[in-house]
């Protein structure tokens, strides 16, 4: 047994599952290769399990009994949020419905909610000055999205003898543009039909194809792009306007700032509470170096 918290044993399988979940997250976000950070992830897994265990123990101490009505209400909401009972049990990875086990776990959630309500209270009523200070400290969260205005020339592969033929034609178009030809005039000459847009207007990231946006948002105003391709064909584009990201006015985001202020208050209270519990807990890790090497 690798982990014992105040006499509560954490099975090796649970530690391994937590470790795999953490490692999987970092692998999906391309922040890790192979096993280079396995010892760090295993430490994170154990710390997560220690935190959950001592929070559960403290919640049971404070609220040994919870009302069945509270458990039912929470369970009903969880099922509704999942989109129904079938999906709820699928999300849990349970092949067979075990209502007694589920209700016991949900009761733990009710206890924890009640415990957190106690440690967060009383919640502060922030002053205008405190909200403005929070706004300034978190300004990056209240910025508008960058916008650009762009025009493009595009040729599809439909009816072409080869990709190379279309690519070379677009290279010739780009050469004319780099030599000073008028973009709008050249675009009209190469427009496939009246429905094909030249001026794309103003847009933010996420409104066009990623391949197109990667090029367009990397360009300066009036710059002529290299020839690039998307699923629609080959393109040359130019940026004709740019609206940089700017801070939204305080009054416009005041309610969002208040929410963040209260979230920061709760985070501070929670972290302090958790550290107090850890300081007095008896934590035994019998295999601190477990999994340090993967053998690859």
């Amino acid at each position: 047994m690798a982990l014992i918290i105040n006499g509560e044993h954490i099975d090796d399988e649970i530690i391994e599952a937590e470790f795999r979940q953490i490692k999987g997250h970092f692998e999906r976000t391309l922040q890790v290769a192979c096993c280079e950070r396995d010892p760090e992830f295993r430490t994170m897994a154990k710390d997560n399990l220690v935190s959950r265990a001592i929070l559960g123990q403290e919640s049971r101490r404070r609220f040994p009994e919870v009302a069945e009505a509270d458990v039912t209400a929470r369970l009903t909401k969880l099922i509704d949020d999942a989109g129904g009972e079938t999906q709820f049990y699928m999300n849990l990875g349970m092949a067979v419905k075990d209502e007694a086990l589920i209700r016991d776990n949900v009761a733990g959630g009710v206890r924890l909610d009640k415990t957190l309500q106690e440690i967060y209270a009383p919640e502060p009523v922030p002053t205008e000055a405190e909200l403005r200070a929070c706004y300034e400290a978190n300004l990056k969260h209240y910025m508008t999205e960058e916008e650009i205005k762009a025009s493009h020339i595009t040729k599809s592969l439909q009816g072409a003898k080869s990709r190379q033929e279309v690519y070379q034609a677009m290279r010739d178009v780009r050469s004319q543009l780099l030599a000073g030809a008028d973009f709008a005039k050249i675009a009209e000459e190469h427009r496939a039909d009246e429905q094909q847009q030249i001026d794309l207007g103003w847009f933010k990231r996420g409104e066009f194809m990623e391949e197109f946006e990667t090029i367009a948002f990397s360009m300066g105003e009036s710059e002529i792009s290299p020839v690039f391709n998307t699923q629609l064909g080959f393109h040359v584009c130019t940026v004709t306007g740019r609206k940089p990201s700017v801070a939204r006015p305080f009054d416009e985001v005041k309610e969002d700032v208040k929410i963040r202020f209260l979230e920061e208050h709760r985070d501070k209270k929670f972290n302090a509470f958790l550290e107090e519990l850890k300081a007095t807990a008896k934590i035994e890790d019998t295999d601190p170096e477990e999994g340090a090497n993967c053998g690859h």
Side-chain angles (χ1 to χ4, degrees):
M1 190 64 64
L3 204 54
I4 308 171
I5 303 105
N6 293 328
E8 180 180 340
H9 292 248
I10 306 296
D11 292 339
D12 292 336
E13 292 81 2
I14 295 176
I15 298 173
E16 187 65 20
E18 184 74 13
F19 162 73
R20 292 294 174 193
Q21 183 175 11
I22 292 170
K23 182 175 180 177
H25 165 75
F26 281 88
E27 286 176 334
R28 288 190 296 274
T29 54
L30 305 179
Q31 298 181 54
V32 63
C34 188
C35 310
E36 59 183 334
R37 297 176 65 184
D38 278 9
E40 176 190 356
F41 296 152
R42 199 167 295 278
T43 297
M44 290 170 63
K46 290 181 178 181
D47 188 60
N48 287 353
L49 293 169
V50 166
S51 297
R52 288 179 207 154
I54 59 178
L55 284 169
Q57 292 165 2
E58 178 65 13
S59 297
R60 286 192 295 273
R61 185 189 69 79
R62 293 186 180 213
F63 301 97
E65 301 293 335
V66 293
E68 286 299 314
D70 290 342
V71 175
T72 298
R74 184 183 176 90
L75 178 57
T76 300
K77 184 177 187 306
L78 290 171
I79 290 173
D80 289 343
D81 289 346
E85 192 174 83
T86 300
Q87 188 62 47
F88 173 71
Y89 279 94
M90 285 179 61
N91 293 346
L92 292 177
M94 297 181 67
V96 179
K97 178 178 176 180
D98 189 336
E99 188 168 351
L101 177 61
I102 292 297
R103 290 187 69 84
D104 184 60
N105 288 336
V106 172
V110 174
R111 291 189 184 94
L112 181 58
D113 284 349
K114 291 179 177 293
T115 299
L116 294 178
Q117 287 171 11
E118 284 192 349
I119 67 169
Y120 292 154
E123 291 204 327
V125 178
T127 64
E128 183 83 359
E130 287 174 325
L131 289 178
R132 287 189 177 276
C134 182
Y135 167 75
E136 294 293 340
N138 295 282
L139 204 56
K140 65 181 181 181
H141 298 290
Y142 307 115
M143 305 294 288
T144 61
E145 293 185 65
E146 179 187 18
E147 290 184 72
I148 61 172
K149 186 180 183 185
S151 295
H152 79 139
I153 302 168
T154 184
K155 283 186 179 295
S156 74
L157 301 178
Q158 188 174 1
K161 295 178 182 178
S162 67
R163 289 176 60 87
Q164 184 61 31
E165 176 190 40
V166 178
Y167 176 67
Q168 188 57 52
M170 290 300 286
R171 285 188 65 188
D172 293 342
V173 166
R174 182 172 187 265
S175 294
Q176 295 177 56
L177 296 170
L178 291 175
D182 181 74
F183 194 99
K185 181 179 178 181
I186 297 294
E188 284 291 345
E189 291 175 2
H190 292 274
R191 181 187 249 181
D193 54 54
E194 290 299 318
Q195 279 68 48
Q196 188 179 70
Q197 283 184 292
I198 295 173
D199 183 353
L200 300 175
W202 291 96
F203 58 93
K204 304 172 185 175
R205 291 183 188 274
E207 296 181 9
F208 279 87
M209 291 174 292
E210 183 179 3
E211 308 97 300
F212 189 94
E213 290 183 350
T214 298
I215 297 292
F217 277 92
S218 68
M219 296 166 56
E221 282 193 55
S222 301
E223 184 179 348
I224 303 299
S225 78
V227 177
F228 62 99
N229 74 297
T230 70
Q231 64 188 24
L232 299 180
F234 286 98
H235 308 259
V236 171
C237 74
T238 187
V239 172
T240 56
R242 184 178 294 275
K243 295 178 184 177
S245 174
V246 296
R248 295 163 63 194
F250 170 76
D251 289 338
E252 182 181 311
V253 297
K254 187 174 181 178
E255 286 306 309
D256 292 336
V257 175
K258 184 176 180 180
I259 291 171
R260 180 173 294 276
F261 181 91
L262 293 175
E263 286 176 346
E264 290 180 353
H265 162 80
R266 293 175 190 136
D267 285 344
K268 289 176 184 176
K269 298 277 280 191
F270 175 81
N271 290 333
F273 175 67
L274 187 57
E275 289 306 311
E276 288 178 10
L277 293 179
K278 286 182 178 180
T280 58
K282 183 180 179 181
I283 302 169
E284 302 170 75
D285 186 352
T286 60
D287 296 302
E289 300 301 323
E290 178 189 359
N293 296 305
C294 67
H296 290 185

PDB file of all heavy atoms in Angstrom, residues 113-140:
ATOM      1  N   ASP A 113     -19.855  20.322  -0.121  1.00  0.00           N
ATOM      2  CA  ASP A 113     -20.478  21.623  -0.413  1.00  0.00           C
ATOM      3  C   ASP A 113     -20.785  22.381   0.871  1.00  0.00           C
ATOM      4  O   ASP A 113     -20.531  23.592   0.965  1.00  0.00           O
ATOM      5  CB  ASP A 113     -21.772  21.422  -1.208  1.00  0.00           C
ATOM      6  CG  ASP A 113     -21.506  21.084  -2.666  1.00  0.00           C
ATOM      7  OD1 ASP A 113     -20.348  21.201  -3.102  1.00  0.00           O
ATOM      8  OD2 ASP A 113     -22.467  20.692  -3.358  1.00  0.00           O
ATOM      9  N   LYS A 114     -21.327  21.679   1.840  1.00  0.00           N
ATOM     10  CA  LYS A 114     -21.662  22.317   3.120  1.00  0.00           C
ATOM     11  C   LYS A 114     -20.406  22.789   3.837  1.00  0.00           C
ATOM     12  O   LYS A 114     -20.387  23.876   4.444  1.00  0.00           O
ATOM     13  CB  LYS A 114     -22.454  21.348   3.999  1.00  0.00           C
ATOM     14  CG  LYS A 114     -23.861  21.040   3.494  1.00  0.00           C
ATOM     15  CD  LYS A 114     -24.569  20.050   4.400  1.00  0.00           C
ATOM     16  CE  LYS A 114     -25.999  19.783   3.938  1.00  0.00           C
ATOM     17  NZ  LYS A 114     -26.864  20.967   4.065  1.00  0.00           N
ATOM     18  N   THR A 115     -19.353  21.991   3.748  1.00  0.00           N
ATOM     19  CA  THR A 115     -18.083  22.372   4.383  1.00  0.00           C
ATOM     20  C   THR A 115     -17.507  23.616   3.730  1.00  0.00           C
ATOM     21  O   THR A 115     -17.053  24.545   4.411  1.00  0.00           O
ATOM     22  CB  THR A 115     -17.070  21.211   4.283  1.00  0.00           C
ATOM     23  OG1 THR A 115     -17.602  20.074   4.960  1.00  0.00           O
ATOM     24  CG2 THR A 115     -15.735  21.590   4.915  1.00  0.00           C
ATOM     25  N   LEU A 116     -17.535  23.657   2.410  1.00  0.00           N
ATOM     26  CA  LEU A 116     -17.002  24.814   1.695  1.00  0.00           C
ATOM     27  C   LEU A 116     -17.817  26.070   1.980  1.00  0.00           C
ATOM     28  O   LEU A 116     -17.260  27.170   2.096  1.00  0.00           O
ATOM     29  CB  LEU A 116     -16.976  24.535   0.189  1.00  0.00           C
ATOM     30  CG  LEU A 116     -16.010  23.435  -0.261  1.00  0.00           C
ATOM     31  CD1 LEU A 116     -16.117  23.211  -1.766  1.00  0.00           C
ATOM     32  CD2 LEU A 116     -14.580  23.758   0.123  1.00  0.00           C
ATOM     33  N   GLN A 117     -19.120  25.913   2.103  1.00  0.00           N
ATOM     34  CA  GLN A 117     -19.955  27.066   2.446  1.00  0.00           C
ATOM     35  C   GLN A 117     -19.538  27.653   3.790  1.00  0.00           C
ATOM     36  O   GLN A 117     -19.536  28.869   3.978  1.00  0.00           O
ATOM     37  CB  GLN A 117     -21.425  26.649   2.483  1.00  0.00           C
ATOM     38  CG  GLN A 117     -22.036  26.394   1.110  1.00  0.00           C
ATOM     39  CD  GLN A 117     -23.420  25.771   1.190  1.00  0.00           C
ATOM     40  OE1 GLN A 117     -24.026  25.696   2.259  1.00  0.00           O
ATOM     41  NE2 GLN A 117     -23.930  25.311   0.052  1.00  0.00           N
ATOM     42  N   GLU A 118     -19.164  26.771   4.711  1.00  0.00           N
ATOM     43  CA  GLU A 118     -18.716  27.241   6.023  1.00  0.00           C
ATOM     44  C   GLU A 118     -17.386  27.975   5.948  1.00  0.00           C
ATOM     45  O   GLU A 118     -17.209  29.025   6.571  1.00  0.00           O
ATOM     46  CB  GLU A 118     -18.587  26.058   6.995  1.00  0.00           C
ATOM     47  CG  GLU A 118     -19.907  25.539   7.524  1.00  0.00           C
ATOM     48  CD  GLU A 118     -19.720  24.577   8.686  1.00  0.00           C
ATOM     49  OE1 GLU A 118     -18.574  24.140   8.951  1.00  0.00           O
ATOM     50  OE2 GLU A 118     -20.735  24.271   9.347  1.00  0.00           O
ATOM     51  N   ILE A 119     -16.422  27.427   5.185  1.00  0.00           N
ATOM     52  CA  ILE A 119     -15.101  28.058   5.179  1.00  0.00           C
ATOM     53  C   ILE A 119     -15.079  29.336   4.330  1.00  0.00           C
ATOM     54  O   ILE A 119     -14.264  30.217   4.567  1.00  0.00           O
ATOM     55  CB  ILE A 119     -14.007  27.083   4.706  1.00  0.00           C
ATOM     56  CG1 ILE A 119     -14.175  26.717   3.238  1.00  0.00           C
ATOM     57  CG2 ILE A 119     -13.966  25.850   5.570  1.00  0.00           C
ATOM     58  CD1 ILE A 119     -12.988  25.988   2.659  1.00  0.00           C
ATOM     59  N   TYR A 120     -15.997  29.454   3.366  1.00  0.00           N
ATOM     60  CA  TYR A 120     -16.041  30.666   2.552  1.00  0.00           C
ATOM     61  C   TYR A 120     -16.720  31.818   3.301  1.00  0.00           C
ATOM     62  O   TYR A 120     -16.455  32.987   3.008  1.00  0.00           O
ATOM     63  CB  TYR A 120     -16.809  30.422   1.243  1.00  0.00           C
ATOM     64  CG  TYR A 120     -16.127  29.483   0.281  1.00  0.00           C
ATOM     65  CD1 TYR A 120     -16.878  28.752  -0.641  1.00  0.00           C
ATOM     66  CD2 TYR A 120     -14.745  29.313   0.286  1.00  0.00           C
ATOM     67  CE1 TYR A 120     -16.261  27.883  -1.541  1.00  0.00           C
ATOM     68  CE2 TYR A 120     -14.134  28.441  -0.602  1.00  0.00           C
ATOM     69  CZ  TYR A 120     -14.898  27.724  -1.510  1.00  0.00           C
ATOM     70  OH  TYR A 120     -14.298  26.870  -2.398  1.00  0.00           O
ATOM     71  N   ALA A 121     -17.591  31.496   4.215  1.00  0.00           N
ATOM     72  CA  ALA A 121     -18.371  32.520   4.904  1.00  0.00           C
ATOM     73  C   ALA A 121     -17.504  33.245   5.951  1.00  0.00           C
ATOM     74  O   ALA A 121     -16.619  32.645   6.559  1.00  0.00           O
ATOM     75  CB  ALA A 121     -19.585  31.884   5.570  1.00  0.00           C
ATOM     76  N   PRO A 122     -17.798  34.527   6.169  1.00  0.00           N
ATOM     77  CA  PRO A 122     -18.722  35.363   5.385  1.00  0.00           C
ATOM     78  C   PRO A 122     -18.019  35.870   4.121  1.00  0.00           C
ATOM     79  O   PRO A 122     -16.846  36.212   4.161  1.00  0.00           O
ATOM     80  CB  PRO A 122     -19.045  36.503   6.332  1.00  0.00           C
ATOM     81  CG  PRO A 122     -17.776  36.666   7.140  1.00  0.00           C
ATOM     82  CD  PRO A 122     -17.214  35.274   7.302  1.00  0.00           C
ATOM     83  N   GLU A 123     -18.759  35.875   3.015  1.00  0.00           N
ATOM     84  CA  GLU A 123     -18.173  36.380   1.785  1.00  0.00           C
ATOM     85  C   GLU A 123     -18.154  37.903   1.822  1.00  0.00           C
ATOM     86  O   GLU A 123     -19.123  38.540   2.244  1.00  0.00           O
ATOM     87  CB  GLU A 123     -18.938  35.877   0.572  1.00  0.00           C
ATOM     88  CG  GLU A 123     -18.768  34.384   0.348  1.00  0.00           C
ATOM     89  CD  GLU A 123     -19.009  33.976  -1.091  1.00  0.00           C
ATOM     90  OE1 GLU A 123     -19.865  34.623  -1.736  1.00  0.00           O
ATOM     91  OE2 GLU A 123     -18.356  33.031  -1.553  1.00  0.00           O
ATOM     92  N   PRO A 124     -17.062  38.517   1.367  1.00  0.00           N
ATOM     93  CA  PRO A 124     -16.944  39.973   1.444  1.00  0.00           C
ATOM     94  C   PRO A 124     -17.838  40.698   0.442  1.00  0.00           C
ATOM     95  O   PRO A 124     -18.210  40.138  -0.588  1.00  0.00           O
ATOM     96  CB  PRO A 124     -15.464  40.206   1.112  1.00  0.00           C
ATOM     97  CG  PRO A 124     -15.099  39.057   0.217  1.00  0.00           C
ATOM     98  CD  PRO A 124     -15.888  37.880   0.735  1.00  0.00           C
ATOM     99  N   VAL A 125     -18.163  41.928   0.764  1.00  0.00           N
ATOM    100  CA  VAL A 125     -18.844  42.817  -0.185  1.00  0.00           C
ATOM    101  C   VAL A 125     -17.786  43.799  -0.672  1.00  0.00           C
ATOM    102  O   VAL A 125     -17.385  44.704   0.065  1.00  0.00           O
ATOM    103  CB  VAL A 125     -20.010  43.562   0.486  1.00  0.00           C
ATOM    104  CG1 VAL A 125     -20.669  44.515  -0.518  1.00  0.00           C
ATOM    105  CG2 VAL A 125     -21.029  42.584   1.052  1.00  0.00           C
ATOM    106  N   PRO A 126     -17.288  43.605  -1.883  1.00  0.00           N
ATOM    107  CA  PRO A 126     -16.152  44.420  -2.340  1.00  0.00           C
ATOM    108  C   PRO A 126     -16.529  45.883  -2.556  1.00  0.00           C
ATOM    109  O   PRO A 126     -17.626  46.202  -2.991  1.00  0.00           O
ATOM    110  CB  PRO A 126     -15.759  43.763  -3.668  1.00  0.00           C
ATOM    111  CG  PRO A 126     -17.004  43.083  -4.150  1.00  0.00           C
ATOM    112  CD  PRO A 126     -17.714  42.619  -2.903  1.00  0.00           C
ATOM    113  N   THR A 127     -15.592  46.755  -2.238  1.00  0.00           N
ATOM    114  CA  THR A 127     -15.777  48.180  -2.496  1.00  0.00           C
ATOM    115  C   THR A 127     -15.451  48.473  -3.955  1.00  0.00           C
ATOM    116  O   THR A 127     -14.868  47.645  -4.668  1.00  0.00           O
ATOM    117  CB  THR A 127     -14.848  49.014  -1.605  1.00  0.00           C
ATOM    118  OG1 THR A 127     -13.481  48.716  -1.961  1.00  0.00           O
ATOM    119  CG2 THR A 127     -15.067  48.690  -0.128  1.00  0.00           C
ATOM    120  N   GLU A 128     -15.801  49.657  -4.395  1.00  0.00           N
ATOM    121  CA  GLU A 128     -15.488  50.071  -5.761  1.00  0.00           C
ATOM    122  C   GLU A 128     -13.973  50.040  -5.987  1.00  0.00           C
ATOM    123  O   GLU A 128     -13.502  49.603  -7.038  1.00  0.00           O
ATOM    124  CB  GLU A 128     -16.025  51.490  -6.009  1.00  0.00           C
ATOM    125  CG  GLU A 128     -15.832  52.017  -7.418  1.00  0.00           C
ATOM    126  CD  GLU A 128     -16.916  51.536  -8.375  1.00  0.00           C
ATOM    127  OE1 GLU A 128     -17.808  50.779  -7.937  1.00  0.00           O
ATOM    128  OE2 GLU A 128     -16.875  51.927  -9.555  1.00  0.00           O
ATOM    129  N   ALA A 129     -13.216  50.504  -4.978  1.00  0.00           N
ATOM    130  CA  ALA A 129     -11.755  50.533  -5.105  1.00  0.00           C
ATOM    131  C   ALA A 129     -11.190  49.118  -5.223  1.00  0.00           C
ATOM    132  O   ALA A 129     -10.259  48.876  -6.000  1.00  0.00           O
ATOM    133  CB  ALA A 129     -11.146  51.248  -3.898  1.00  0.00           C
ATOM    134  N   GLU A 130     -11.744  48.188  -4.463  1.00  0.00           N
ATOM    135  CA  GLU A 130     -11.268  46.804  -4.524  1.00  0.00           C
ATOM    136  C   GLU A 130     -11.573  46.179  -5.884  1.00  0.00           C
ATOM    137  O   GLU A 130     -10.753  45.431  -6.439  1.00  0.00           O
ATOM    138  CB  GLU A 130     -11.910  45.982  -3.404  1.00  0.00           C
ATOM    139  CG  GLU A 130     -11.353  46.294  -2.024  1.00  0.00           C
ATOM    140  CD  GLU A 130     -12.103  45.571  -0.917  1.00  0.00           C
ATOM    141  OE1 GLU A 130     -13.334  45.395  -1.047  1.00  0.00           O
ATOM    142  OE2 GLU A 130     -11.461  45.184   0.081  1.00  0.00           O
ATOM    143  N   LEU A 131     -12.729  46.491  -6.418  1.00  0.00           N
ATOM    144  CA  LEU A 131     -13.085  45.955  -7.734  1.00  0.00           C
ATOM    145  C   LEU A 131     -12.190  46.535  -8.825  1.00  0.00           C
ATOM    146  O   LEU A 131     -11.756  45.817  -9.737  1.00  0.00           O
ATOM    147  CB  LEU A 131     -14.551  46.248  -8.045  1.00  0.00           C
ATOM    148  CG  LEU A 131     -15.582  45.449  -7.246  1.00  0.00           C
ATOM    149  CD1 LEU A 131     -16.995  45.883  -7.623  1.00  0.00           C
ATOM    150  CD2 LEU A 131     -15.419  43.954  -7.485  1.00  0.00           C
ATOM    151  N   ARG A 132     -11.900  47.824  -8.721  1.00  0.00           N
ATOM    152  CA  ARG A 132     -11.022  48.441  -9.722  1.00  0.00           C
ATOM    153  C   ARG A 132      -9.609  47.860  -9.638  1.00  0.00           C
ATOM    154  O   ARG A 132      -8.949  47.652 -10.665  1.00  0.00           O
ATOM    155  CB  ARG A 132     -10.990  49.957  -9.564  1.00  0.00           C
ATOM    156  CG  ARG A 132     -12.280  50.629 -10.043  1.00  0.00           C
ATOM    157  CD  ARG A 132     -12.173  52.142 -10.087  1.00  0.00           C
ATOM    158  NE  ARG A 132     -13.393  52.747 -10.617  1.00  0.00           N
ATOM    159  CZ  ARG A 132     -13.664  52.907 -11.906  1.00  0.00           C
ATOM    160  NH1 ARG A 132     -12.782  52.496 -12.809  1.00  0.00           N
ATOM    161  NH2 ARG A 132     -14.790  53.469 -12.299  1.00  0.00           N
ATOM    162  N   ALA A 133      -9.156  47.578  -8.417  1.00  0.00           N
ATOM    163  CA  ALA A 133      -7.832  46.974  -8.236  1.00  0.00           C
ATOM    164  C   ALA A 133      -7.808  45.570  -8.833  1.00  0.00           C
ATOM    165  O   ALA A 133      -6.829  45.160  -9.471  1.00  0.00           O
ATOM    166  CB  ALA A 133      -7.470  46.932  -6.758  1.00  0.00           C
ATOM    167  N   CYS A 134      -8.901  44.824  -8.654  1.00  0.00           N
ATOM    168  CA  CYS A 134      -9.019  43.478  -9.226  1.00  0.00           C
ATOM    169  C   CYS A 134      -9.042  43.561 -10.750  1.00  0.00           C
ATOM    170  O   CYS A 134      -8.417  42.738 -11.439  1.00  0.00           O
ATOM    171  CB  CYS A 134     -10.281  42.802  -8.703  1.00  0.00           C
ATOM    172  SG  CYS A 134     -10.530  41.111  -9.293  1.00  0.00           S
ATOM    173  N   TYR A 135      -9.731  44.555 -11.273  1.00  0.00           N
ATOM    174  CA  TYR A 135      -9.802  44.769 -12.723  1.00  0.00           C
ATOM    175  C   TYR A 135      -8.416  45.022 -13.296  1.00  0.00           C
ATOM    176  O   TYR A 135      -8.008  44.403 -14.292  1.00  0.00           O
ATOM    177  CB  TYR A 135     -10.735  45.951 -12.992  1.00  0.00           C
ATOM    178  CG  TYR A 135     -10.704  46.514 -14.385  1.00  0.00           C
ATOM    179  CD1 TYR A 135     -11.309  45.853 -15.448  1.00  0.00           C
ATOM    180  CD2 TYR A 135     -10.071  47.743 -14.641  1.00  0.00           C
ATOM    181  CE1 TYR A 135     -11.286  46.388 -16.733  1.00  0.00           C
ATOM    182  CE2 TYR A 135     -10.060  48.289 -15.923  1.00  0.00           C
ATOM    183  CZ  TYR A 135     -10.661  47.610 -16.963  1.00  0.00           C
ATOM    184  OH  TYR A 135     -10.641  48.139 -18.220  1.00  0.00           O
ATOM    185  N   GLU A 136      -7.659  45.903 -12.661  1.00  0.00           N
ATOM    186  CA  GLU A 136      -6.317  46.244 -13.143  1.00  0.00           C
ATOM    187  C   GLU A 136      -5.377  45.041 -13.050  1.00  0.00           C
ATOM    188  O   GLU A 136      -4.555  44.819 -13.943  1.00  0.00           O
ATOM    189  CB  GLU A 136      -5.743  47.418 -12.332  1.00  0.00           C
ATOM    190  CG  GLU A 136      -6.472  48.736 -12.522  1.00  0.00           C
ATOM    191  CD  GLU A 136      -6.326  49.302 -13.921  1.00  0.00           C
ATOM    192  OE1 GLU A 136      -5.379  48.896 -14.636  1.00  0.00           O
ATOM    193  OE2 GLU A 136      -7.151  50.143 -14.323  1.00  0.00           O
ATOM    194  N   ALA A 137      -5.516  44.262 -11.984  1.00  0.00           N
ATOM    195  CA  ALA A 137      -4.630  43.109 -11.787  1.00  0.00           C
ATOM    196  C   ALA A 137      -4.923  41.991 -12.783  1.00  0.00           C
ATOM    197  O   ALA A 137      -4.056  41.143 -13.044  1.00  0.00           O
ATOM    198  CB  ALA A 137      -4.756  42.593 -10.357  1.00  0.00           C
ATOM    199  N   ASN A 138      -6.127  41.966 -13.323  1.00  0.00           N
ATOM    200  CA  ASN A 138      -6.537  40.886 -14.235  1.00  0.00           C
ATOM    201  C   ASN A 138      -6.943  41.422 -15.604  1.00  0.00           C
ATOM    202  O   ASN A 138      -7.800  40.852 -16.273  1.00  0.00           O
ATOM    203  CB  ASN A 138      -7.704  40.108 -13.616  1.00  0.00           C
ATOM    204  CG  ASN A 138      -7.320  39.384 -12.344  1.00  0.00           C
ATOM    205  OD1 ASN A 138      -6.705  38.333 -12.382  1.00  0.00           O
ATOM    206  ND2 ASN A 138      -7.693  39.965 -11.205  1.00  0.00           N
ATOM    207  N   LEU A 139      -6.296  42.489 -16.016  1.00  0.00           N
ATOM    208  CA  LEU A 139      -6.700  43.194 -17.234  1.00  0.00           C
ATOM    209  C   LEU A 139      -6.705  42.286 -18.463  1.00  0.00           C
ATOM    210  O   LEU A 139      -7.540  42.442 -19.359  1.00  0.00           O
ATOM    211  CB  LEU A 139      -5.766  44.386 -17.472  1.00  0.00           C
ATOM    212  CG  LEU A 139      -6.308  45.543 -18.313  1.00  0.00           C
ATOM    213  CD1 LEU A 139      -7.605  46.085 -17.724  1.00  0.00           C
ATOM    214  CD2 LEU A 139      -5.265  46.641 -18.427  1.00  0.00           C
ATOM    215  N   LYS A 140      -5.811  41.312 -18.509  1.00  0.00           N
ATOM    216  CA  LYS A 140      -5.723  40.431 -19.681  1.00  0.00           C
ATOM    217  C   LYS A 140      -7.012  39.644 -19.913  1.00  0.00           C
ATOM    218  O   LYS A 140      -7.277  39.186 -21.031  1.00  0.00           O
ATOM    219  CB  LYS A 140      -4.551  39.462 -19.532  1.00  0.00           C
ATOM    220  CG  LYS A 140      -4.697  38.474 -18.386  1.00  0.00           C
ATOM    221  CD  LYS A 140      -3.489  37.561 -18.283  1.00  0.00           C
ATOM    222  CE  LYS A 140      -3.648  36.565 -17.142  1.00  0.00           C
ATOM    223  NZ  LYS A 140      -2.459  35.684 -17.016  1.00  0.00           N
TER     224      LYS A 140
END
